[in-house]
Amino acid sequence: MVPRSPSVNEELRRRSQVRLLEATVELIGEHGYEATTLADIADRAGAARGLVSYYFPGKRQLLQTAVHRLMHMELARGLEREPRPEGEEAGRELLARAIDAILGLARDRPRLMRTHMAGILTAEGFIQCAEQQRLAGLLRDTITRYGSEDPETDYRLLRALLMGAVVAVLLPGAPMAPERLRAELFHRYELDWELGLPPGDEPPGGSRMSTLG
């Protein structure tokens, strides 16, 4: 039997990790964090149970990596959606798409995103991983194309605003409507309501956002 090449082994490892991350998103979205075990995740992924611990230090790290991958992929799909924006206004359209992608996850996957945000606020805090870096790179590039003169600072502000909006959508007992938060973010960045994927013809209150104020 011919030994597998290093590149083939690397691709097999990558596929195993992807299956585990996808299974994590599915199971925690369906059953919640506490009700989902590492064994459940391995079984859903069709992987040996020892692989989970081999690739990830624990369930919290696995969850953050899985959600950051989901956020990265959703953001990438939104930014790359046809027709691709071009010209001087491309940066504003891309920023609108980024906001819509993140708010869309809070709206469509509330249990998963609530669990993710709760984990970030624990003692373990924000866990750096390759998926988080890919997500950060897309957001940083988006704010740069929007026209930022200080992309690193403005990326951090955008990240904070998006995290705050997600928490507001998911706040138990006192949630805010994603449409209202979208309107506030669009006003902050002087984006027209029609950019991105508007949830209706008019923003909350009936007055259209305009870059002209």
Side-chain angles (χ1 to χ4, degrees), residues 5 32 39 45 89-90 125 131 167 204:
S5 67
E89 296 298 299
E131 293 295 345
V167 169

Side-chain angles (χ1 to χ4, degrees), residues 70-126:
L70 175 66
M71 294 173 71
H72 165 246
M73 293 180 65
E74 287 296 314
L75 179 56
R77 276 194 285 268
L79 295 175
E80 295 167 6
R81 189 181 71 249
E82 297 292 343
R84 301 287 291 275
E86 298 178 352
E88 294 182 358
E89 296 298 299
R92 299 176 68 251
E93 169 66 21
L94 290 172
L95 181 55
R97 292 184 181 194
I99 292 170
D100 284 340
I102 302 303
L103 286 179
L105 283 171
R107 180 191 64 236
D108 299 335
R109 295 176 179 259
R111 172 180 277 174
L112 178 70
M113 295 302 292
R114 186 179 293 115
T115 305
H116 173 64
M117 296 305 297
I120 289 176
L121 297 174
T122 65
E124 294 180 24
F126 195 76

Side-chain angles (χ1 to χ4, degrees), residues 139-155:
L139 287 174
R140 193 178 288 108
D141 180 67
T142 298
I143 203 69
T144 299
R145 295 188 64 179
Y146 170 72
S148 170
E149 296 180 357
D150 185 0
E152 184 58 32
T153 298
D154 289 340
Y155 151 69

Side-chain angles (χ1 to χ4, degrees), residues 33-199:
Y33 183 78
E34 297 299 334
T36 300
T37 67
L38 293 179
D40 294 332
I41 292 169
D43 289 344
R44 175 69 66 91
R49 299 188 183 188
L51 277 181
V52 183
S53 299
Y54 178 77
Y55 289 129
F56 303 98
K59 190 165 67 168
R60 183 65 64 187
Q61 291 87 343
L62 174 56
L63 171 63
Q64 281 206 34
T65 300
V67 176
H68 282 139
R69 177 179 180 272
L70 175 66
M71 294 173 71
H72 165 246
M73 293 180 65
E74 287 296 314
L75 179 56
R77 276 194 285 268
L79 295 175
E80 295 167 6
R81 189 181 71 249
E82 297 292 343
R84 301 287 291 275
E86 298 178 352
E88 294 182 358
E89 296 298 299
R92 299 176 68 251
E93 169 66 21
L94 290 172
L95 181 55
R97 292 184 181 194
I99 292 170
D100 284 340
I102 302 303
L103 286 179
L105 283 171
R107 180 191 64 236
D108 299 335
R109 295 176 179 259
R111 172 180 277 174
L112 178 70
M113 295 302 292
R114 186 179 293 115
T115 305
H116 173 64
M117 296 305 297
I120 289 176
L121 297 174
T122 65
E124 294 180 24
F126 195 76
I127 298 170
Q128 300 286 343
C129 65
E131 293 295 345
Q132 185 275 327
Q133 292 300 317
R134 293 186 182 99
L135 173 62
L138 281 181
L139 287 174
R140 193 178 288 108
D141 180 67
T142 298
I143 203 69
T144 299
R145 295 188 64 179
Y146 170 72
S148 170
E149 296 180 357
D150 185 0
E152 184 58 32
T153 298
D154 289 340
Y155 151 69
R156 291 176 181 274
L157 176 59
L158 174 62
R159 183 182 67 186
L161 291 171
L162 289 173
M163 289 176 67
V166 168
V167 169
V169 171
L170 301 173
L171 189 63
M176 288 192 67
E179 295 80 8
R180 180 59 187 168
L181 291 160
R182 182 186 197 265
E184 291 297 320
L185 287 167
F186 272 43
H187 180 73
R188 165 68 176 77
Y189 289 103
E190 298 185 327
L191 301 174
D192 296 312
W193 182 255
E194 295 83 0
L195 296 175
L197 288 173

